[in-house]
Amino acid sequence: MNNTNAKKNTSIPVQLIKNRKMALTLAKNDFKTKYAGSYLGILWAFIQPVVTILVYWFIFSVGFRTGRTGEHPYVLVIVTGLVPWFFFSDGLNGGTNALIDYNYLVKKVVFNIDILPFVKVLSAFFVHLFFIAVALVLCACMGYPPTLYTLQLVYYILCNMVLVLGITYLTSAIIVFFRDLGQFINVFVLQIGIWVTPIMWDAKTMLPPSLYRIFKLNPVYYIVCGFRDSILNHKWLWEDGTLKWTIYFWIFTLLMFCIGVRIFRKLKVHFADVL
């Protein structure tokens, strides 16, 4: 029984590797068609996050006159926190609706629908790479050029990808039968999550240690802190007790991935009928 469950959980990663070329092609098409028909086209994929960053920067730096957070300029703290959050948000939204958006493929018996959530997450990844580059350029202009620590971003990008993918296999399967899940995610996960993560404020200095430990249970906060450590703080991922946090993150993420894959496979036979 355990061997059977293990095969079910590992089969999707195997399918993603086997069908990587098809997934990449679909992701490129998804990225292009998302903004087809608009005058600015795919530029809208970059305009919305840039405007969001500028709004937060203006409110907190100009309105509330928050010039620096600890040792770093506040605008850089915001940017390095929002970049991984944007990918998590876009990947979760897109991956959750993958089966609904590609319902015509779900109904094709010969098509491997296991790759559809990955296609949506990969589509969001294209924008993510752009904003990582923008963040690095901005930080370099303000006195934080890339260093050896910056190479850790590859690891934290992988963390974000696996976390989002595991969650979306779960949510994409459930939303087929419970369409309100999409609204629930937008309101209670993403709108509240951006503050609970936290990104706009320094939880470590503003919260008592006991409450701060609860906030650290948020796996996205691990990634956000990792981005800041890699770009601003110049800390390795095993320093200052982070190793325990890393172990917790991967236990949570892999458990979520196994649960998501198992439920996806269990409900898979009903997708075509419901859609």
Side-chain angles (χ1 to χ4, degrees), residues 57-98:
W57 170 79
F58 181 82
I59 291 174
F60 288 98
S61 294
V62 180
F64 292 135
R65 300 185 183 279
T66 307
R68 300 181 74 88
T69 300
E71 301 176 356
H72 314 299
Y74 187 66
V75 63
L76 299 186
V77 175
I78 290 181
V79 169
T80 52
L82 283 177
V83 167
W85 175 261
F86 282 149
F87 174 65
F88 177 80
S89 175
D90 293 345
L92 181 58
N93 263 326
T96 297
N97 293 289

Side-chain angles (χ1 to χ4, degrees), residues 171-231:
T171 56
S172 63
I174 295 176
I175 199 172
V176 173
F177 307 93
F178 181 63
R179 298 298 177 95
D180 288 347
L181 179 62
Q183 300 301 324
F184 179 87
I185 289 175
N186 281 323
V187 175
F188 293 102
V189 176
L190 298 181
Q191 290 188 23
I192 296 177
I194 195 172
W195 297 100
V196 175
T197 297
I199 294 173
M200 310 300 172
W201 52 286
D202 189 356
K204 190 173 184 178
T205 58
M206 297 177 67
L207 295 176
S210 57
L211 188 56
Y212 179 63
R213 283 193 290 269
I214 296 176
F215 270 72
K216 288 181 70 174
L217 295 177
N218 179 353
V220 184
Y221 186 42
Y222 170 78
I223 300 170
V224 169
C225 288
F227 265 67
R228 289 171 176 163
D229 287 343
S230 301
I231 300 174

Side-chain angles (χ1 to χ4, degrees), residues 112-275:
N112 186 356
I113 66 173
D114 292 351
I115 69 171
L116 292 180
F118 178 66
V119 167
K120 287 289 189 177
V121 173
L122 192 57
S123 177
F125 182 67
F126 298 147
V127 182
H128 186 48
L129 289 178
F130 168 79
F131 276 103
I132 290 175
V134 170
L136 291 176
V137 170
L138 179 61
C139 289
C141 292
M142 297 186 69
Y144 294 86
T147 64
L148 280 177
Y149 297 95
T150 310
L151 296 175
Q152 290 183 136
L153 288 179
V154 176
Y155 164 74
Y156 288 108
I157 291 170
L158 176 64
C159 291
N160 214 353
M161 178 76 76
V162 178
L163 176 64
V164 173
L165 199 57
I167 296 175
T168 54
Y169 272 109
L170 175 65
T171 56
S172 63
I174 295 176
I175 199 172
V176 173
F177 307 93
F178 181 63
R179 298 298 177 95
D180 288 347
L181 179 62
Q183 300 301 324
F184 179 87
I185 289 175
N186 281 323
V187 175
F188 293 102
V189 176
L190 298 181
Q191 290 188 23
I192 296 177
I194 195 172
W195 297 100
V196 175
T197 297
I199 294 173
M200 310 300 172
W201 52 286
D202 189 356
K204 190 173 184 178
T205 58
M206 297 177 67
L207 295 176
S210 57
L211 188 56
Y212 179 63
R213 283 193 290 269
I214 296 176
F215 270 72
K216 288 181 70 174
L217 295 177
N218 179 353
V220 184
Y221 186 42
Y222 170 78
I223 300 170
V224 169
C225 288
F227 265 67
R228 289 171 176 163
D229 287 343
S230 301
I231 300 174
L232 302 178
N233 298 323
H234 296 166
K235 288 167 53 179
W236 296 112
L237 61 91
W238 56 81
E239 293 180 5
D240 296 339
T242 309
L243 186 59
K244 293 181 180 179
W245 198 7
T246 300
I247 295 173
Y248 161 76
F249 171 84
W250 282 110
I251 290 175
F252 177 92
T253 300
L254 294 178
L255 182 62
M256 178 60 67
F257 189 88
C258 291
I259 293 173
V261 167
R262 188 171 184 181
I263 292 179
F264 185 92
R265 281 297 178 89
K266 189 172 183 179
L267 299 177
K268 181 179 177 180
V269 294
H270 306 290
F271 291 159
D273 296 332
V274 177
L275 293 172

